[in-house]
Amino acid sequence: MIIAITSFALPKPISREEAQRIFMSTAPTYQAVEGLLQKHYVLSEDGGTAGGVYFWKTREAAQAMYTPAWREFVREKYGTEPTVTYFDSPVVVDNVTGQVFQNEPGA
């Protein structure tokens, strides 16, 4: 599993309610994306930074999302340049199922 964290400093802080409205408007963009398991939208407590935590099947699937067109979409929507950082997830603690497990490389 690959986790990608995107973030961008907003030109001006936004409220949680405003963030929810914006995020709900873009959420359909991420439905049925090949290889995307989950996306969690995030907003800093001060409302000055937003982004997402994405859980991907593979790095290739993640990289297929963060194209120049995606970056332009973010710039137009939020008025700022996004960053993307990739992380491998070798071990998962799942308190919902009560399991701890190892992820296979690239899985």
Side-chain angles (χ1 to χ4, degrees), residues 56-72:
W56 294 97
K57 289 182 181 177
T58 65
R59 180 158 179 142
E60 292 76 21
Q63 288 176 313
M65 169 61 69
Y66 309 117
T67 63
W70 177 86
R71 290 179 179 281
E72 181 61 26

Side-chain angles (χ1 to χ4, degrees), residues 2 28-38 54-66:
I2 296 296
T29 305
Y30 298 96
Q31 290 184 300
V33 169
E34 183 66 32
L36 180 61
L37 302 171
Q38 288 187 337
Y54 300 73
F55 297 83
W56 294 97
K57 289 182 181 177
T58 65
R59 180 158 179 142
E60 292 76 21
Q63 288 176 313
M65 169 61 69
Y66 309 117

